[in-house]
Amino acid sequence: MSSIEIEPGRLFVGGQWREAADGARTEVVDPSRGAVLTTVAEAGAADVDAAVRAARDAFDDGAWSGLSGRERGRILHRVAELIRENADDLAQLESLDVGKPISLCHAVDVTNAANDYEHFAALAHSLDGAVRNTPMNALAYTRREPLGVVAAITPFNFPLILAGSKIGPALAAGNTVVHKPADETPLSALYMASLLQRAGVPDGVVNVVTGAGPVAGEALLRHRGIDKVAFTGSTAIGRHVAATAGEALKPVTMELGGNAANIVFEDADLEKAVGAIIKAFVFNTGQFCMGGPRLLVARPVYSTLLGILADAVPGVPVGDPRDPGTVVGPMAGEKHLKKVEEYVDLARKEGGRIVCGGERLDLDGGFYYRPTVIADLSNDSRVVQEEIFGPVLTVQPFDTEDEAVALANSTPYGLASGVQTTNLARAHRIADRLQAGIVWVNDWAMLDPAVPFGGVKDSGYGREYGPEALDAYTKVKSVVVSLD
């Protein structure tokens, strides 16, 4: 596998690469070594305005929205093909930029990004309305139409996938897009802009503005030319996004923070459950809003399972993300690493027992933290209740199904949950009671573009993936034709 050459990044506006209006640039850091990878243009309000205007012009001229769904689908299929043809480059970019293990980038990020575009390509020509029967002497029918210009604001942890989960349905429905990737991890967004152009997406239909959230993100959020906001990020910022968009009555979908519980019953297949447990909290170095950082264990198997984890977790390969054998790479940045350290220190103060891990890993100047298991914390502990967003697992015992459900539902979040049991009736019974947008049984992180995901409570609202996603990128118009 050859090494990709990373050039300084520029903004992509109206089908053209350009510098920021004021010439500002910002550094992009390799989290595995703490070294600067490159620089990218840092957009200001003027750049965001230019991108929104380009998207508006492209929408109004009908070069994309005026195409048939079948033709839009054909181009989106070509995007998926180009992602697969350039899989090595995309995987390397994501690994360098985010610190993800290269094997994970290939198997998860690139594969799912291609699947995203392929899925929405197939749905593009299924957008239709319905004839409604009424007592009126009229023909009444509905149309589903694109909203206009969509602001897609994505986070640092899954840049490629989460961009596709927004841009894919937005384009399938006929919208145009201004994408603002996370300032820490912008590289795959810029690469994808070139692939979208190569696939035949007309100029101005997709625009990419890199830069800081408080500047470029805020300007995009407040721009009057934006018709809809699609946001993934923290709950705190999500509240601001919803409030700001609400002032202009803009529709918003948002996938926010999570703090999911993984429930292990005494009848679970423990060998299988351990794999799901470890995957749930170390996947993507724990930087996964649908991760499972809270483990709830039936008391008869509590001590046994803690012992298994104490032996197994230290053996999870942590290291250089370019090594194909690495499972856990670095945190995405110094601030994320410090946040994890602070929570583990707090756990010690709150009476938690460190079963394993609990410290940085000094490796090549990167931002590494050992996968950590913590027992003996009370349910009202901040470490249990708050989102850590790192490779940290808290373990709590329970005695009854009711207690397990109450503990699982006790945080403000509701993005995902898990149930480990061999009792099929119990699996359905518990899944029905969990306050979460998705429930996994006897595994974790089983995701496919056909299956919608999203949150309840403080984890947001709206759904990505599945045909349900297209509802958020269309508006319904009713037409009533008198037959008199």
Side-chain angles (χ1 to χ4, degrees), residues 293 295-297 302 306 309 373-377 393-397:
L295 184 63
L296 310 178
V297 185
Y302 178 75
L306 264 184
L309 291 173
V373 177
I374 305 172
D376 301 340
L377 286 169
L393 179 73
T394 63
V395 190
Q396 300 169 261

Side-chain angles (χ1 to χ4, degrees), residues 85-107:
E85 289 172 13
N86 294 273
D88 281 351
D89 283 356
L90 279 165
Q92 288 182 68
L93 275 179
E94 210 76 332
S95 181
L96 287 165
D97 204 7
V98 190
K100 294 173 180 282
I102 190 69
S103 55
L104 179 69
C105 291
H106 271 290

Side-chain angles (χ1 to χ4, degrees), residues 286-464:
Q287 299 167 129
F288 181 37
C289 47
M290 288 191 287
R294 293 189 297 135
L295 184 63
L296 310 178
V297 185
R299 198 174 297 276
V301 294
Y302 178 75
S303 296
T304 299
L305 189 51
L306 264 184
I308 294 172
L309 291 173
D311 291 337
V313 171
V316 175
V318 181
D320 187 343
R322 264 75 76 187
D323 183 340
T326 294
V327 173
V328 178
M331 304 296 297
E334 177 72 24
K335 70 177 182 180
H336 306 295
L337 175 60
K338 287 182 177 178
K339 179 184 176 184
V340 172
E341 285 187 308
E342 289 168 0
Y343 269 110
V344 175
D345 287 344
L346 177 61
R348 293 185 175 100
K349 294 174 184 176
E350 291 182 326
R353 171 167 58 95
I354 307 300
V355 176
C356 59
E359 61 185 3
R360 283 193 185 208
L361 175 61
D362 186 11
L363 181 63
D364 298 329
F367 310 127
Y368 294 89
Y369 201 85
R370 296 185 187 279
T372 299
V373 177
I374 305 172
D376 301 340
L377 286 169
S378 65
N379 193 57
D380 60 1
S381 158
R382 282 184 55 201
V383 177
V384 170
Q385 289 293 313
E386 298 176 10
E387 183 183 38
I388 299 173
F389 222 60
V392 178
L393 179 73
T394 63
V395 190
Q396 300 169 261
F398 66 85
D399 292 302
T400 66
E401 282 190 9
D402 286 345
E403 184 184 9
V405 171
L407 289 170
N409 292 339
S410 68
T411 77
Y413 299 101
L415 196 56
S417 274
V419 180
Q420 312 299 321
T421 179
T422 56
N423 184 321
L424 183 60
R426 168 178 275 164
H428 289 294
R429 187 167 62 242
I430 300 300
D432 182 61
R433 299 176 64 189
L434 292 173
Q435 297 168 359
I438 190 167
V439 179
W440 290 298
V441 178
N442 293 330
D443 206 333
W444 199 272
M446 294 182 290
L447 293 167
D448 184 88
V451 180
F453 74 87
V456 298
K457 302 193 293 185
D458 282 6
S459 290
Y461 50 83
R463 292 295 178 265
E464 296 191 314

Side-chain angles (χ1 to χ4, degrees), residues 35-377:
V36 175
L37 279 170
T38 188
T39 63
V40 297
E42 187 166 10
D47 303 300
V48 169
D49 181 64
V52 175
R53 289 179 184 276
R56 173 60 59 194
D57 289 345
F59 182 78
D60 289 345
D61 72 16
W64 184 254
S65 59
L67 294 178
S68 69
R70 190 175 302 277
E71 181 63 14
R72 290 198 300 269
R74 185 190 66 76
I75 295 172
L76 293 178
H77 268 297
R78 179 59 182 148
V79 175
E81 291 172 355
L82 286 171
I83 290 172
R84 294 186 176 109
E85 289 172 13
N86 294 273
D88 281 351
D89 283 356
L90 279 165
Q92 288 182 68
L93 275 179
E94 210 76 332
S95 181
L96 287 165
D97 204 7
V98 190
K100 294 173 180 282
I102 190 69
S103 55
L104 179 69
C105 291
H106 271 290
V108 176
D109 298 75
V110 175
T111 297
N112 281 314
N115 291 345
D116 287 352
Y117 282 98
E118 196 167 63
H119 174 75
F120 289 111
L123 292 179
H125 60 83
S126 68
L127 283 169
D128 53 20
V131 175
R132 301 299 169 88
N133 291 319
T134 75
M136 301 183 293
N137 186 28
L139 171 64
Y141 63 92
T142 61
R143 291 170 47 88
R144 291 175 70 187
E145 300 177 347
L147 294 169
V149 180
V150 173
I153 304 175
T154 54
F156 70 89
N157 56 337
F158 287 93
L160 189 58
I161 293 176
L162 292 174
S165 71
K166 294 168 178 56
I167 296 173
L171 295 187
N175 300 283
T176 59
V177 177
V178 180
H179 178 205
K180 212 299 283 184
D183 49 349
E184 303 111 311
T185 56
L187 299 183
S188 62
L190 297 174
Y191 192 98
M192 279 302 303
S194 67
L195 293 191
L196 287 158
Q197 188 177 50
R198 285 172 55 190
V201 175
D203 291 347
V205 171
V206 176
N207 307 270
V208 180
V209 289
T210 52
V215 179
E218 190 71 11
L220 184 58
L221 179 61
R222 293 185 178 277
H223 201 291
R224 290 188 174 275
I226 294 297
D227 298 301
K228 180 225 166 29
V229 179
F231 174 80
T232 297
S234 71
T235 296
I237 297 176
R239 293 186 193 282
H240 171 70
V241 169
T244 304
E247 292 174 6
L249 301 179
K250 295 175 184 176
V252 179
T253 52
M254 50 178 60
E255 191 239 306
L256 306 178
N259 191 12
N262 195 358
I263 307 172
V264 181
F265 287 96
E266 63 273 16
D267 59 22
D269 179 336
L270 289 188
E271 182 177 350
K272 187 175 182 180
V274 166
I277 292 163
I278 294 176
K279 177 167 66 171
F281 90 95
V282 306
F283 180 65
N284 206 47
T285 320
Q287 299 167 129
F288 181 37
C289 47
M290 288 191 287
R294 293 189 297 135
L295 184 63
L296 310 178
V297 185
R299 198 174 297 276
V301 294
Y302 178 75
S303 296
T304 299
L305 189 51
L306 264 184
I308 294 172
L309 291 173
D311 291 337
V313 171
V316 175
V318 181
D320 187 343
R322 264 75 76 187
D323 183 340
T326 294
V327 173
V328 178
M331 304 296 297
E334 177 72 24
K335 70 177 182 180
H336 306 295
L337 175 60
K338 287 182 177 178
K339 179 184 176 184
V340 172
E341 285 187 308
E342 289 168 0
Y343 269 110
V344 175
D345 287 344
L346 177 61
R348 293 185 175 100
K349 294 174 184 176
E350 291 182 326
R353 171 167 58 95
I354 307 300
V355 176
C356 59
E359 61 185 3
R360 283 193 185 208
L361 175 61
D362 186 11
L363 181 63
D364 298 329
F367 310 127
Y368 294 89
Y369 201 85
R370 296 185 187 279
T372 299
V373 177
I374 305 172
D376 301 340
L377 286 169

